[in-house]
Amino acid sequence: MAHLVFSDTRAKSQKTKRAIFSNARQNNQNNILLLTKIRQVQKHTMTLGQKIKELREQAGLKQRELAYQLGIGEGFLSKVENDQKPLKREDLTKLNELFKTPIEELESLWLANKVYSIVRDEESALSALKVAEEQITYNTLKNGK
């Protein structure tokens, strides 16, 4: 009788282990899928701060050198590059002239940062952005632009 209880307990223990490892494997697969999606979005999405850092590094400039040319502090530029502080719209013209980057791209990134800072904590942010996009499209068509 003791042998049956022991083997039954061992079988239950093995089932429990299999279930735990199966759940862990499933969690890992879910995490990998999520990271893959995040990386795909990151490839196509760049913030203004990331763009400025990329341009600065491609030009071989140090933060203090670019900060001087923009007329801002090095610490402030660091925060801009890390998307912790917004850059003034006027500074986009300086970046455009310095790096020969299309002003439209810089303005789009700058505006995207402003919009994101407004909606980032909103539950219905995506649906609100879709509605705003539809409104812009409608008004553009209506006004013939």
Side-chain angles (χ1 to χ4, degrees), residues 127-144:
S127 61
L129 289 172
K130 288 176 186 172
V131 170
E133 180 182 22
E134 291 169 4
Q135 290 172 345
I136 291 168
T137 302
Y138 172 77
N139 285 327
T140 301
L141 293 172
K142 185 175 112 181
N143 296 326

Side-chain angles (χ1 to χ4, degrees), residues 76-91:
F76 186 79
L77 177 59
S78 176
K79 289 182 179 185
V80 168
E81 288 185 355
N82 288 303
D83 299 306
Q84 296 171 345
K85 291 281 186 181
L87 200 58
K88 292 180 184 173
R89 190 174 203 151
E90 305 85 64
D91 292 325

Side-chain angles (χ1 to χ4, degrees), residues 4-75:
L4 283 174
V5 171
F6 176 72
S7 68
D8 189 42
T9 303
R10 192 164 77 186
K12 285 181 183 177
S13 174
Q14 288 174 346
K15 282 183 181 178
T16 302
K17 286 179 185 176
R18 277 193 292 260
I20 290 170
F21 286 118
S22 176
N23 287 340
R25 196 171 318 130
Q26 185 62 43
N27 287 340
N28 283 340
Q29 289 172 342
N30 290 342
N31 288 340
I32 289 169
L33 285 173
L34 181 61
L35 287 173
T36 302
K37 287 179 183 178
I38 289 171
R39 286 187 186 118
Q40 287 171 344
V41 169
Q42 284 177 332
K43 283 182 187 176
H44 304 290
T45 307
M46 181 176 277
T47 65
L48 180 60
Q50 291 166 337
K51 183 68 176 179
I52 292 169
K53 182 176 182 177
E54 178 183 85
L55 292 169
R56 177 181 60 76
E57 288 176 346
Q58 286 174 352
L61 292 174
K62 295 182 176 162
Q63 275 186 337
R64 71 173 166 266
E65 294 169 326
L66 179 57
Y68 175 79
Q69 291 185 25
L70 293 174
I72 61 176
E74 183 180 345

Side-chain angles (χ1 to χ4, degrees), residues 89-97 100-110:
R89 190 174 203 151
E90 305 85 64
D91 292 325
L92 301 179
T93 305
K94 295 175 190 174
L95 291 169
N96 165 260
E97 292 167 359
K100 308 297 183 234
T101 301
I103 191 74
E104 297 82 10
E105 180 183 2
L106 297 171
E107 286 176 339
S108 291
L109 293 172
W110 178 82

